[in-house]
Amino acid sequence: MTLKSAFTRLLSCAVLAITLSCPAWAQPAAPVAVHDQIDHPAVVTHHMGQFGGRNIAYTATVEGLPVSTDPDGEGARIVSFAYTRDKADPARRPVMFLFNGGPIVSSQYLHIGGIGPKRVAYPDEVKADPSTFKLVDNLYSPLDAVDLVFVDPASTGFSRATPGTDPKIYFSVQADARQFAAFIRAWLKKHGREGAPVYLTGESYGTNRAAEIAGQLADGPDPLPLAGIFLYGQAANIIEYSQRPANITSYIASLPTIAAIGWYHGKADRRGRSLDAFLAEARSFAKGDYLTVLYQGSAASDADKRRVAARLAELSGVPADWYLANDLKITKERYRVELLKDQGLLLGRADARYTAPITDKGNAPDPSDVLTQGVQKFFPSYIRDDLKVDWTDPYVPAVEIASLEDWGWGDAKSPFGDWPYYKGIGKMMKLNPGFRLLVGNGIYDTQTTMGAAELLATQSGWDPARVTLRYYDGGHTGYSVATTARAIGDDIRSLVR
């Protein structure tokens, strides 16, 4: 197989994977199906665990709640997995609602990937045999500080649209967020938590969802103030870093991630520098000389182009001649092929620490899919054996959509249109002066990058004193790394305290 044909195959699926970056694309997704809605009674179990260094008694509740999102009666029965600390004051105890992206994906990745009371333990060695993965007690879960409610959108998990409601009615930015906003209000009311501090955690497209939920909860005659949001692997400003050739901002934003990957694989010119020091230089170069010369485009002098190409080669590990032949720009997808092509290896899209031989098979699976496959392996037995859920209706991990146009993006045909998600969070900041935002990204994530997170934080008009940026070891599912799972748990504790 030639490098050109390999890249062509990769590019064919890259737009969808990057745009809706979420662990779920690594697994077979189900077509949209209408299932009979079964009103199961809640399943309640009691547990002990050690979180934040404390022994904590907690209750796990798996239950469905009906939500109405339309005056004509259209709605859904949303099923969640809630973990609540025993003997806590419900009026003061913080509660966090968590969801993945997809955009039509269950919450199982955040659930046992890194934040719930159990997590899949992955060896630090990225080449480890998947048979060594284990489901273990999650000592890093922030359950000591905040109750956790993992929410599956309609058509995923055990959640279903109500009989007579077309499931696709929720396949849009606004309608999707409405079901979550309605569920949050319903859950708080049922459990007597309407005065409790409320937080959201969204991953990947879930960050777009969180921003839209925030805007909807802030609007209207009965606003619900959120105390804070954690955006992990954020995609809320994807229009600014989608890699169109003339969008020079995207190449500036992606360079720190590319430099980190080059450093990790020993292809960049480290010169003994630590990763932090190396990234500091990459960021400085990206915002300075690189931005200036890219902005000049064809008007830049040959000397300037050669100087920038040489520096890019040092930072990325891709030869200067390649950059000179390609207008000083390399997309993240192209970089996945170019960096280790001498070894015939492809970098992982979700986590570029992982590699696999480039093959001529279908859509060139992501080498880091092994991480999400670990969650897919353990989640069914976890809900059956630990949570005692014996329902016979299927748990749907993800719903398949054929193209970006199957999701409603307002006036645009894709997320690359101008949908200002950040304004929803801006509304919430205005509503609640105490609102805080945590934005986190995996260092080796080629889909939702560190530079994109910085752009979001600095270009959205938010109060910088209320925004925290964090970069974690690992990729799009960085909580697969034990030290990152610990750091995320600690950062959530800081957010809610």
Side-chain angles (χ1 to χ4, degrees):
M1 181 182 188
T2 66
L3 180 63
K4 181 178 180 180
S5 62
F7 179 66
T8 299
R9 287 187 178 276
L10 285 169
L11 196 59
S12 68
C13 66
V15 172
L16 184 60
I18 292 176
T19 302
L20 304 180
S21 49
C22 171
W25 291 114
Q27 69 179 44
V32 181
V34 179
H35 299 282
D36 290 336
Q37 208 178 44
I38 303 174
D39 189 11
H40 297 289
V43 178
V44 180
T45 51
H46 302 281
H47 308 263
M48 286 290 300
Q50 188 177 80
F51 312 108
R54 301 178 181 181
N55 291 322
I56 303 293
Y58 66 96
T59 297
T61 304
V62 184
E63 67 176 339
L65 292 179
V67 299
S68 178
T69 56
D70 187 275
D72 295 331
E74 293 170 336
R77 180 175 178 271
I78 304 299
V79 176
S80 65
F81 297 77
Y83 301 95
T84 54
R85 183 172 177 173
D86 294 350
K87 298 182 180 179
D89 181 356
R92 301 179 60 185
R93 170 79 170 166
V95 58
M96 175 174 280
F97 296 88
L98 305 95
F99 36 84
N100 278 94
I104 319 170
V105 173
S106 71
S107 61
Q108 63 179 345
Y109 300 97
L110 287 172
H111 193 159
I112 66 166
I115 298 182
K118 299 276 188 177
R119 66 179 290 266
V120 180
Y122 301 91
D124 289 337
E125 171 53 61
V126 298
K127 296 180 181 178
D129 189 321
S131 66
T132 62
F133 301 170
K134 298 178 181 179
L135 187 68
V136 301
D137 292 338
N138 186 7
L139 303 179
Y140 316 128
S141 175
L143 187 52
D144 54 302
V146 58
D147 290 342
L148 304 172
V149 184
F150 296 89
V151 187
D152 295 335
S155 297
T156 74
F158 295 118
S159 300
R160 304 288 183 264
T162 54
T165 297
D166 182 353
K168 293 184 179 180
I169 194 171
Y170 292 113
F171 291 8
S172 73
V173 173
Q174 291 179 322
D176 169 78
R178 277 197 297 272
Q179 69 172 309
F180 277 85
F183 172 80
I184 290 168
R185 290 182 184 274
W187 191 94
L188 293 171
K189 183 177 181 179
K190 177 175 180 179
H191 294 280
R193 306 292 293 276
E194 291 166 290
V198 177
Y199 296 82
L200 306 180
T201 287
E203 180 181 29
S204 198
Y205 177 81
T207 63
N208 306 51
R209 172 182 288 144
E212 178 66 18
I213 292 170
Q216 292 187 16
L217 291 177
D219 286 335
D222 184 26
L224 173 59
L226 297 173
I229 296 178
F230 178 27
L231 303 179
Y232 180 72
Q234 76 81 28
N237 65 341
I238 195 167
I239 186 176
E240 303 301 339
Y241 67 94
S242 56
Q243 294 202 285
R244 295 182 293 270
N247 181 9
I248 62 173
T249 302
S250 68
Y251 299 94
I252 304 305
S254 65
L255 184 59
T257 294
I258 285 174
I261 296 167
W263 184 95
Y264 178 86
H265 287 287
K267 289 292 188 177
D269 186 0
R270 292 185 181 182
R271 298 182 188 175
R273 290 165 290 185
S274 68
L275 177 59
D276 287 344
F278 192 77
L279 286 178
E281 291 191 21
R283 290 188 179 100
S284 178
F285 171 72
K287 299 173 187 177
D289 204 14
Y290 190 32
L291 174 60
T292 299
V293 174
L294 279 188
Y295 186 83
Q296 292 173 347
S298 59
S301 69
D302 288 343
D304 285 344
K305 291 178 181 177
R306 287 193 297 272
R307 183 185 69 255
V308 167
R311 188 73 173 115
L312 288 170
E314 292 175 1
L315 292 170
S316 70
V318 173
D321 287 347
W322 193 97
Y323 282 104
L324 289 171
N326 290 275
D327 298 323
L328 305 177
K329 302 169 186 174
I330 191 166
T331 65
K332 295 170 290 184
E333 282 298 296
R334 187 81 204 200
Y335 187 70
R336 293 178 61 218
V337 177
E338 290 290 335
L339 184 66
L340 300 180
K341 70 177 183 180
D342 58 335
Q343 303 172 46
L345 295 176
L346 172 70
L347 300 176
R349 179 182 291 123
D351 189 333
R353 297 176 305 150
Y354 290 79
T355 63
I358 298 177
T359 63
D360 191 10
K361 293 182 180 179
N363 286 328
D366 185 343
S368 54
D369 283 357
V370 65
L371 297 174
T372 57
Q373 290 164 3
V375 171
Q376 296 156 22
K377 173 184 176 181
F378 288 108
F379 194 72
S381 59
Y382 169 66
I383 60 176
R384 181 186 65 244
D385 299 337
D386 289 66
L387 302 185
K388 309 303 181 185
V389 178
D390 60 358
W391 303 343
T392 57
D393 36 331
Y395 185 90
V396 180
V399 170
E400 174 185 333
I401 59 174
S403 72
L404 296 176
E405 294 184 9
D406 284 355
W407 190 258
W409 305 98
D411 293 334
K413 294 296 184 183
S414 81
F416 302 114
D418 188 13
W419 191 296
Y421 294 98
Y422 66 90
K423 288 187 177 180
I425 291 176
K427 290 179 181 179
M428 188 55 67
M429 284 187 166
K430 185 176 181 180
L431 174 67
N432 180 13
F435 174 88
R436 295 292 184 271
L437 183 67
L438 171 64
V439 183
N441 276 84
I443 293 172
Y444 306 108
D445 178 3
T446 74
Q447 301 176 112
T448 59
T449 62
M450 296 181 285
E454 184 177 349
L455 272 178
L456 181 73
T458 58
Q459 300 296 320
S460 298
W462 299 331
D463 177 3
R466 298 159 68 182
V467 181
T468 300
L469 277 174
R470 293 280 278 132
Y471 305 125
Y472 304 109
D473 190 17
H476 200 60
T477 56
Y479 38 73
S480 61
V481 180
T483 54
T484 293
R486 180 193 294 273
I488 286 175
D490 289 343
D491 285 342
I492 289 176
R493 289 182 183 92
S494 297
L495 178 67
V496 302
R497 287 173 179 163

PDB file of all heavy atoms in Angstrom, residues 161-185:
ATOM      1  N   ALA A 161     -36.838   7.444  23.395  1.00  0.00           N
ATOM      2  CA  ALA A 161     -37.910   8.403  23.114  1.00  0.00           C
ATOM      3  C   ALA A 161     -39.238   7.759  23.497  1.00  0.00           C
ATOM      4  O   ALA A 161     -39.390   6.531  23.458  1.00  0.00           O
ATOM      5  CB  ALA A 161     -37.905   8.787  21.639  1.00  0.00           C
ATOM      6  N   THR A 162     -40.208   8.577  23.889  1.00  0.00           N
ATOM      7  CA  THR A 162     -41.509   8.045  24.273  1.00  0.00           C
ATOM      8  C   THR A 162     -42.214   7.447  23.055  1.00  0.00           C
ATOM      9  O   THR A 162     -41.964   7.840  21.914  1.00  0.00           O
ATOM     10  CB  THR A 162     -42.391   9.146  24.875  1.00  0.00           C
ATOM     11  OG1 THR A 162     -42.462  10.244  23.953  1.00  0.00           O
ATOM     12  CG2 THR A 162     -41.832   9.630  26.192  1.00  0.00           C
ATOM     13  N   PRO A 163     -43.103   6.465  23.266  1.00  0.00           N
ATOM     14  CA  PRO A 163     -43.854   5.886  22.144  1.00  0.00           C
ATOM     15  C   PRO A 163     -44.573   6.980  21.357  1.00  0.00           C
ATOM     16  O   PRO A 163     -45.196   7.885  21.932  1.00  0.00           O
ATOM     17  CB  PRO A 163     -44.842   4.956  22.838  1.00  0.00           C
ATOM     18  CG  PRO A 163     -44.169   4.568  24.116  1.00  0.00           C
ATOM     19  CD  PRO A 163     -43.427   5.804  24.546  1.00  0.00           C
ATOM     20  N   GLY A 164     -44.449   6.907  20.043  1.00  0.00           N
ATOM     21  CA  GLY A 164     -45.056   7.919  19.183  1.00  0.00           C
ATOM     22  C   GLY A 164     -44.149   9.096  18.887  1.00  0.00           C
ATOM     23  O   GLY A 164     -44.486   9.951  18.060  1.00  0.00           O
ATOM     24  N   THR A 165     -43.012   9.145  19.547  1.00  0.00           N
ATOM     25  CA  THR A 165     -42.042  10.214  19.296  1.00  0.00           C
ATOM     26  C   THR A 165     -40.929   9.693  18.401  1.00  0.00           C
ATOM     27  O   THR A 165     -40.333   8.653  18.683  1.00  0.00           O
ATOM     28  CB  THR A 165     -41.440  10.731  20.620  1.00  0.00           C
ATOM     29  OG1 THR A 165     -42.468  11.301  21.419  1.00  0.00           O
ATOM     30  CG2 THR A 165     -40.377  11.789  20.356  1.00  0.00           C
ATOM     31  N   ASP A 166     -40.664  10.388  17.311  1.00  0.00           N
ATOM     32  CA  ASP A 166     -39.569  10.014  16.422  1.00  0.00           C
ATOM     33  C   ASP A 166     -38.250  10.251  17.156  1.00  0.00           C
ATOM     34  O   ASP A 166     -37.965  11.382  17.562  1.00  0.00           O
ATOM     35  CB  ASP A 166     -39.625  10.875  15.161  1.00  0.00           C
ATOM     36  CG  ASP A 166     -38.535  10.505  14.148  1.00  0.00           C
ATOM     37  OD1 ASP A 166     -37.656   9.671  14.478  1.00  0.00           O
ATOM     38  OD2 ASP A 166     -38.551  11.076  13.037  1.00  0.00           O
ATOM     39  N   PRO A 167     -37.420   9.220  17.355  1.00  0.00           N
ATOM     40  CA  PRO A 167     -36.152   9.428  18.069  1.00  0.00           C
ATOM     41  C   PRO A 167     -35.276  10.514  17.463  1.00  0.00           C
ATOM     42  O   PRO A 167     -34.530  11.182  18.174  1.00  0.00           O
ATOM     43  CB  PRO A 167     -35.472   8.050  17.974  1.00  0.00           C
ATOM     44  CG  PRO A 167     -36.582   7.085  17.763  1.00  0.00           C
ATOM     45  CD  PRO A 167     -37.607   7.817  16.941  1.00  0.00           C
ATOM     46  N   LYS A 168     -35.412  10.707  16.143  1.00  0.00           N
ATOM     47  CA  LYS A 168     -34.555  11.680  15.474  1.00  0.00           C
ATOM     48  C   LYS A 168     -34.907  13.125  15.812  1.00  0.00           C
ATOM     49  O   LYS A 168     -34.176  14.032  15.418  1.00  0.00           O
ATOM     50  CB  LYS A 168     -34.610  11.460  13.964  1.00  0.00           C
ATOM     51  CG  LYS A 168     -33.988  10.146  13.523  1.00  0.00           C
ATOM     52  CD  LYS A 168     -33.969  10.015  12.009  1.00  0.00           C
ATOM     53  CE  LYS A 168     -33.320   8.710  11.567  1.00  0.00           C
ATOM     54  NZ  LYS A 168     -33.291   8.577  10.087  1.00  0.00           N
ATOM     55  N   ILE A 169     -36.011  13.306  16.553  1.00  0.00           N
ATOM     56  CA  ILE A 169     -36.366  14.672  16.937  1.00  0.00           C
ATOM     57  C   ILE A 169     -35.290  15.284  17.826  1.00  0.00           C
ATOM     58  O   ILE A 169     -35.145  16.504  17.914  1.00  0.00           O
ATOM     59  CB  ILE A 169     -37.737  14.702  17.650  1.00  0.00           C
ATOM     60  CG1 ILE A 169     -38.257  16.138  17.728  1.00  0.00           C
ATOM     61  CG2 ILE A 169     -37.663  14.105  19.054  1.00  0.00           C
ATOM     62  CD1 ILE A 169     -39.679  16.238  18.222  1.00  0.00           C
ATOM     63  N   TYR A 170     -34.492  14.420  18.478  1.00  0.00           N
ATOM     64  CA  TYR A 170     -33.436  14.915  19.363  1.00  0.00           C
ATOM     65  C   TYR A 170     -32.089  15.026  18.672  1.00  0.00           C
ATOM     66  O   TYR A 170     -31.092  15.335  19.320  1.00  0.00           O
ATOM     67  CB  TYR A 170     -33.318  14.000  20.586  1.00  0.00           C
ATOM     68  CG  TYR A 170     -34.525  14.100  21.483  1.00  0.00           C
ATOM     69  CD1 TYR A 170     -35.388  13.016  21.636  1.00  0.00           C
ATOM     70  CD2 TYR A 170     -34.818  15.281  22.151  1.00  0.00           C
ATOM     71  CE1 TYR A 170     -36.510  13.115  22.449  1.00  0.00           C
ATOM     72  CE2 TYR A 170     -35.939  15.390  22.950  1.00  0.00           C
ATOM     73  CZ  TYR A 170     -36.774  14.301  23.101  1.00  0.00           C
ATOM     74  OH  TYR A 170     -37.892  14.408  23.896  1.00  0.00           O
ATOM     75  N   PHE A 171     -32.049  14.806  17.371  1.00  0.00           N
ATOM     76  CA  PHE A 171     -30.779  14.823  16.665  1.00  0.00           C
ATOM     77  C   PHE A 171     -30.448  16.231  16.165  1.00  0.00           C
ATOM     78  O   PHE A 171     -30.289  16.486  14.969  1.00  0.00           O
ATOM     79  CB  PHE A 171     -30.809  13.845  15.480  1.00  0.00           C
ATOM     80  CG  PHE A 171     -30.855  12.388  15.884  1.00  0.00           C
ATOM     81  CD1 PHE A 171     -31.037  12.012  17.209  1.00  0.00           C
ATOM     82  CD2 PHE A 171     -30.729  11.394  14.924  1.00  0.00           C
ATOM     83  CE1 PHE A 171     -31.093  10.673  17.568  1.00  0.00           C
ATOM     84  CE2 PHE A 171     -30.773  10.050  15.279  1.00  0.00           C
ATOM     85  CZ  PHE A 171     -30.955   9.692  16.605  1.00  0.00           C
ATOM     86  N   SER A 172     -30.332  17.147  17.081  1.00  0.00           N
ATOM     87  CA  SER A 172     -29.911  18.510  16.750  1.00  0.00           C
ATOM     88  C   SER A 172     -29.306  19.146  17.991  1.00  0.00           C
ATOM     89  O   SER A 172     -29.542  18.681  19.122  1.00  0.00           O
ATOM     90  CB  SER A 172     -31.082  19.356  16.255  1.00  0.00           C
ATOM     91  OG  SER A 172     -31.949  19.700  17.326  1.00  0.00           O
ATOM     92  N   VAL A 173     -28.545  20.195  17.796  1.00  0.00           N
ATOM     93  CA  VAL A 173     -27.877  20.864  18.906  1.00  0.00           C
ATOM     94  C   VAL A 173     -28.883  21.303  19.968  1.00  0.00           C
ATOM     95  O   VAL A 173     -28.738  21.004  21.160  1.00  0.00           O
ATOM     96  CB  VAL A 173     -27.078  22.084  18.400  1.00  0.00           C
ATOM     97  CG1 VAL A 173     -26.524  22.886  19.579  1.00  0.00           C
ATOM     98  CG2 VAL A 173     -25.944  21.634  17.488  1.00  0.00           C
ATOM     99  N   GLN A 174     -29.928  22.004  19.566  1.00  0.00           N
ATOM    100  CA  GLN A 174     -30.855  22.581  20.533  1.00  0.00           C
ATOM    101  C   GLN A 174     -31.761  21.529  21.165  1.00  0.00           C
ATOM    102  O   GLN A 174     -31.964  21.527  22.382  1.00  0.00           O
ATOM    103  CB  GLN A 174     -31.687  23.668  19.860  1.00  0.00           C
ATOM    104  CG  GLN A 174     -30.872  24.907  19.502  1.00  0.00           C
ATOM    105  CD  GLN A 174     -31.702  25.966  18.819  1.00  0.00           C
ATOM    106  OE1 GLN A 174     -32.581  25.666  18.000  1.00  0.00           O
ATOM    107  NE2 GLN A 174     -31.441  27.229  19.141  1.00  0.00           N
ATOM    108  N   ALA A 175     -32.305  20.623  20.351  1.00  0.00           N
ATOM    109  CA  ALA A 175     -33.217  19.616  20.894  1.00  0.00           C
ATOM    110  C   ALA A 175     -32.480  18.650  21.815  1.00  0.00           C
ATOM    111  O   ALA A 175     -33.011  18.228  22.849  1.00  0.00           O
ATOM    112  CB  ALA A 175     -33.901  18.861  19.761  1.00  0.00           C
ATOM    113  N   ASP A 176     -31.263  18.291  21.448  1.00  0.00           N
ATOM    114  CA  ASP A 176     -30.450  17.426  22.292  1.00  0.00           C
ATOM    115  C   ASP A 176     -30.236  18.062  23.661  1.00  0.00           C
ATOM    116  O   ASP A 176     -30.406  17.412  24.708  1.00  0.00           O
ATOM    117  CB  ASP A 176     -29.110  17.167  21.610  1.00  0.00           C
ATOM    118  CG  ASP A 176     -28.099  16.500  22.525  1.00  0.00           C
ATOM    119  OD1 ASP A 176     -28.203  15.289  22.734  1.00  0.00           O
ATOM    120  OD2 ASP A 176     -27.209  17.207  23.034  1.00  0.00           O
ATOM    121  N   ALA A 177     -29.871  19.339  23.665  1.00  0.00           N
ATOM    122  CA  ALA A 177     -29.642  20.024  24.940  1.00  0.00           C
ATOM    123  C   ALA A 177     -30.930  20.165  25.736  1.00  0.00           C
ATOM    124  O   ALA A 177     -30.910  20.123  26.973  1.00  0.00           O
ATOM    125  CB  ALA A 177     -29.022  21.400  24.683  1.00  0.00           C
ATOM    126  N   ARG A 178     -32.070  20.329  25.039  1.00  0.00           N
ATOM    127  CA  ARG A 178     -33.339  20.467  25.762  1.00  0.00           C
ATOM    128  C   ARG A 178     -33.669  19.230  26.589  1.00  0.00           C
ATOM    129  O   ARG A 178     -34.181  19.320  27.696  1.00  0.00           O
ATOM    130  CB  ARG A 178     -34.484  20.767  24.779  1.00  0.00           C
ATOM    131  CG  ARG A 178     -34.614  22.230  24.409  1.00  0.00           C
ATOM    132  CD  ARG A 178     -35.970  22.542  23.796  1.00  0.00           C
ATOM    133  NE  ARG A 178     -36.198  21.841  22.548  1.00  0.00           N
ATOM    134  CZ  ARG A 178     -35.840  22.309  21.345  1.00  0.00           C
ATOM    135  NH1 ARG A 178     -35.231  23.481  21.258  1.00  0.00           N
ATOM    136  NH2 ARG A 178     -36.079  21.626  20.253  1.00  0.00           N
ATOM    137  N   GLN A 179     -33.380  18.027  26.031  1.00  0.00           N
ATOM    138  CA  GLN A 179     -33.683  16.817  26.794  1.00  0.00           C
ATOM    139  C   GLN A 179     -32.816  16.751  28.051  1.00  0.00           C
ATOM    140  O   GLN A 179     -33.281  16.316  29.110  1.00  0.00           O
ATOM    141  CB  GLN A 179     -33.499  15.568  25.942  1.00  0.00           C
ATOM    142  CG  GLN A 179     -32.063  15.247  25.568  1.00  0.00           C
ATOM    143  CD  GLN A 179     -31.898  13.903  24.888  1.00  0.00           C
ATOM    144  OE1 GLN A 179     -32.370  12.890  25.384  1.00  0.00           O
ATOM    145  NE2 GLN A 179     -31.230  13.900  23.734  1.00  0.00           N
ATOM    146  N   PHE A 180     -31.561  17.213  27.947  1.00  0.00           N
ATOM    147  CA  PHE A 180     -30.689  17.206  29.124  1.00  0.00           C
ATOM    148  C   PHE A 180     -31.129  18.255  30.142  1.00  0.00           C
ATOM    149  O   PHE A 180     -31.139  17.982  31.352  1.00  0.00           O
ATOM    150  CB  PHE A 180     -29.235  17.439  28.705  1.00  0.00           C
ATOM    151  CG  PHE A 180     -28.532  16.205  28.251  1.00  0.00           C
ATOM    152  CD1 PHE A 180     -28.643  15.767  26.939  1.00  0.00           C
ATOM    153  CD2 PHE A 180     -27.773  15.446  29.131  1.00  0.00           C
ATOM    154  CE1 PHE A 180     -27.997  14.618  26.515  1.00  0.00           C
ATOM    155  CE2 PHE A 180     -27.127  14.299  28.724  1.00  0.00           C
ATOM    156  CZ  PHE A 180     -27.234  13.878  27.406  1.00  0.00           C
ATOM    157  N   ALA A 181     -31.462  19.438  29.664  1.00  0.00           N
ATOM    158  CA  ALA A 181     -31.918  20.478  30.583  1.00  0.00           C
ATOM    159  C   ALA A 181     -33.180  20.040  31.314  1.00  0.00           C
ATOM    160  O   ALA A 181     -33.322  20.247  32.531  1.00  0.00           O
ATOM    161  CB  ALA A 181     -32.161  21.778  29.817  1.00  0.00           C
ATOM    162  N   ALA A 182     -34.103  19.406  30.578  1.00  0.00           N
ATOM    163  CA  ALA A 182     -35.338  18.921  31.200  1.00  0.00           C
ATOM    164  C   ALA A 182     -35.036  17.811  32.201  1.00  0.00           C
ATOM    165  O   ALA A 182     -35.638  17.756  33.293  1.00  0.00           O
ATOM    166  CB  ALA A 182     -36.310  18.425  30.131  1.00  0.00           C
ATOM    167  N   PHE A 183     -34.107  16.931  31.853  1.00  0.00           N
ATOM    168  CA  PHE A 183     -33.755  15.842  32.770  1.00  0.00           C
ATOM    169  C   PHE A 183     -33.129  16.377  34.047  1.00  0.00           C
ATOM    170  O   PHE A 183     -33.440  15.914  35.156  1.00  0.00           O
ATOM    171  CB  PHE A 183     -32.800  14.853  32.105  1.00  0.00           C
ATOM    172  CG  PHE A 183     -32.281  13.835  33.074  1.00  0.00           C
ATOM    173  CD1 PHE A 183     -33.047  12.734  33.422  1.00  0.00           C
ATOM    174  CD2 PHE A 183     -31.035  14.003  33.687  1.00  0.00           C
ATOM    175  CE1 PHE A 183     -32.586  11.803  34.356  1.00  0.00           C
ATOM    176  CE2 PHE A 183     -30.568  13.079  34.615  1.00  0.00           C
ATOM    177  CZ  PHE A 183     -31.352  11.985  34.942  1.00  0.00           C
ATOM    178  N   ILE A 184     -32.212  17.332  33.920  1.00  0.00           N
ATOM    179  CA  ILE A 184     -31.547  17.892  35.099  1.00  0.00           C
ATOM    180  C   ILE A 184     -32.572  18.478  36.061  1.00  0.00           C
ATOM    181  O   ILE A 184     -32.539  18.228  37.277  1.00  0.00           O
ATOM    182  CB  ILE A 184     -30.513  18.950  34.668  1.00  0.00           C
ATOM    183  CG1 ILE A 184     -29.327  18.257  33.976  1.00  0.00           C
ATOM    184  CG2 ILE A 184     -30.034  19.772  35.863  1.00  0.00           C
ATOM    185  CD1 ILE A 184     -28.399  19.207  33.253  1.00  0.00           C
ATOM    186  N   ARG A 185     -33.524  19.231  35.525  1.00  0.00           N
ATOM    187  CA  ARG A 185     -34.568  19.810  36.382  1.00  0.00           C
ATOM    188  C   ARG A 185     -35.406  18.699  37.030  1.00  0.00           C
ATOM    189  O   ARG A 185     -35.728  18.766  38.228  1.00  0.00           O
ATOM    190  CB  ARG A 185     -35.451  20.739  35.555  1.00  0.00           C
ATOM    191  CG  ARG A 185     -34.772  22.033  35.103  1.00  0.00           C
ATOM    192  CD  ARG A 185     -35.746  22.894  34.324  1.00  0.00           C
ATOM    193  NE  ARG A 185     -35.143  24.100  33.774  1.00  0.00           N
ATOM    194  CZ  ARG A 185     -35.022  25.243  34.433  1.00  0.00           C
ATOM    195  NH1 ARG A 185     -35.461  25.326  35.691  1.00  0.00           N
ATOM    196  NH2 ARG A 185     -34.477  26.303  33.864  1.00  0.00           N
TER     197      ARG A 185
END
